[in-house]
């Protein structure tokens, strides 16, 4: 089977980006293991436990794998970037989390692609679908498959289409012609580094490797999505009105200035930048009903209330006094303490 045919089928399955990489030892594995060993993954154990080694070898997921078919699905809904939306009393939810949970969307597309490949292939082959849950160094393979380069913001950037993509992979036992790695086009630009409110993008020296890395322990996305427990006080002001995730280092990237948009229903916001008041008195059942099937479930109820309290405090707006007093009475000690801190910010 020809790689061009594979990519044509991928586009018919709804993927805007598609390419092929050979399964081979990848040098980025060394950088990743070092990054994890230095503690920069914070408490994300799925990046540091036994899955770290699995992540470094595609053949630990499919022993017969010879090629990785890498795909990208655009999620850039046609609404303003966060850096152009200056309303601190409204909650910013990261663009990727506006709609349906992307895992299912990607899995559906990759399942369809696999079926089409099986119909088109001359011989049977083995395959495995990877969408986050199967650990693989997906940006490294996507880069080899020609989808883009890894920017200083640590995202994969496509020269024509920007970085608003979910990535997925299909490991196959087929020998496919690999694509070529595109050049790094960040040049001397430092906009993402300069714009990051918490200085989470830090320089690193790896000969022949990345020049910047993400310190998760400083990143707004980490604090609002992955971090369990109280957010350290010194980091709370930097979170601004971010309720879930952060897009700033992608918003300011010049390669996203004319990024294509998509009207696909699954990634449109249920409500764009909802007012913070809406969430202060939310019950756990309401939280579950409101965000069922959405990435926001990952923050969990008490983490979500913690984020609401921080955003209210950072707004400085007196109208949040009463909701914060109510949150201070929460039976959850972390929520109560965060609300107390937020009240102090209003004063
Ligand atoms: S997501 Fe936000 S906090 Fe994290 S590195 Fe990018 S700009 Fe900084
Ligand atoms: S903002 Fe500039 S430095 Fe950062 S990823 Fe984009 S092009 Fe690269």
């Amino acid at each position: 089977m020809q790689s061009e045919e594979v990519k044509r089928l991928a586009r018919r399955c709804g993927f805007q980006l598609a390419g092929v990489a050979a399964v081979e030892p990848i040098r980025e594995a060394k950088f990743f293991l070092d990054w994890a060993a230095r503690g920069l993954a914070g408490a994300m154990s799925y990046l540091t436990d036994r899955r770290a080694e699995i992540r470094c070898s595609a053949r630990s997921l499919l022993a017969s794998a010879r090629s990785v078919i890498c795909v990208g699905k655009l999620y850039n809904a046609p609404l303003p970037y966060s850096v152009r939306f200056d309303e601190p009393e409204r909650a910013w939810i990261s663009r990727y989390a506006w709609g349906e949970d992307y895992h299912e969307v990607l899995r559906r597309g990759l399942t369809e692609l696999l079926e089409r490949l099986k119909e088109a292939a001359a011989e049977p082959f083995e395959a495995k679908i990877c969408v986050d849950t199967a650990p693989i160094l997906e940006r490294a393979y996507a880069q080899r498959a020609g989808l883009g380069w890894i920017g200083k913001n640590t995202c994969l950037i496509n020269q024509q289409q920007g970085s608003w993509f979910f990535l997925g992979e299909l490991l196959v036992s087929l020998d496919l012609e690999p694509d070529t790695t595109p050049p790094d086009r960040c040049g001397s630009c430092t906009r993402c580094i300069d714009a990051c409110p918490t200085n989470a993008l830090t320089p690193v020296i790896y000969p022949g490797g990345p020049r910047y890395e993400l310190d998760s322990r400083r990143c707004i996305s980490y604090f609002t999505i992955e971090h369990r427990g109280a957010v350290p006080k010194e980091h709370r002001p930097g979170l601004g009105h971010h309720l879930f995730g952060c897009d700033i280092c992608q918003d300011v990237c010049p390669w996203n200035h004319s990024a294509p948009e998509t009207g696909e229903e699954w990634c449109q916001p249920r409500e764009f930048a909802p007012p913070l008041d809406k969430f202060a008195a939310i019950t756990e059942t309401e939280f579950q009903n409101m965000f069922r099937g959405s990435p926001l479930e990952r923050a969990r109820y008490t983490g979500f209330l913690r984020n609401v309290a921080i955003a209210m405090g950072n707004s400085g707006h007196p109208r949040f006094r009463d909701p914060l007093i109510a949150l201070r009475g929460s039976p959850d000690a972390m929520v109560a303490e965060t609300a107390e801190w937020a009240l102090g910010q209003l004063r």
Side-chain angles (χ1 to χ4, degrees), residues 36-51:
R38 285 185 288 120
L40 273 71
M44 292 185 280
S45 58
Y46 60 89
L47 293 174
T48 56
D49 62 13
R50 60 177 183 80
R51 285 167 285 188

Side-chain angles (χ1 to χ4, degrees), residues 14 23 79 120 178 183 191 204:
V23 170
L79 283 156
R191 288 187 205 189
V204 66

Side-chain angles (χ1 to χ4, degrees), residues 196-198 200-201 214 218-221 246-249:
C196 175
T198 53
L201 297 166
L214 177 72
R218 291 166 167 263
C219 178
I220 295 169
S221 291
C246 168
D247 296 323
I248 293 172
C249 55

Side-chain angles (χ1 to χ4, degrees), residues 165-219:
F165 286 94
F166 293 122
L167 300 177
E169 300 77 33
L170 195 53
L171 302 179
V172 291
S173 57
L174 298 167
D175 251 326
L176 300 169
E177 179 70 24
D179 285 281
T180 52
T181 303
D184 181 328
R185 296 189 185 278
C186 281
S188 59
C189 175
T190 55
R191 288 187 205 189
C192 52
I193 296 149
D194 301 339
C196 175
T198 53
N199 298 318
L201 297 166
T202 51
V204 66
I205 299 172
Y206 285 126
R211 289 177 290 159
Y212 284 85
E213 62 185 0
L214 177 72
D215 187 344
S216 307
R217 301 162 304 178
R218 291 166 167 263
C219 178

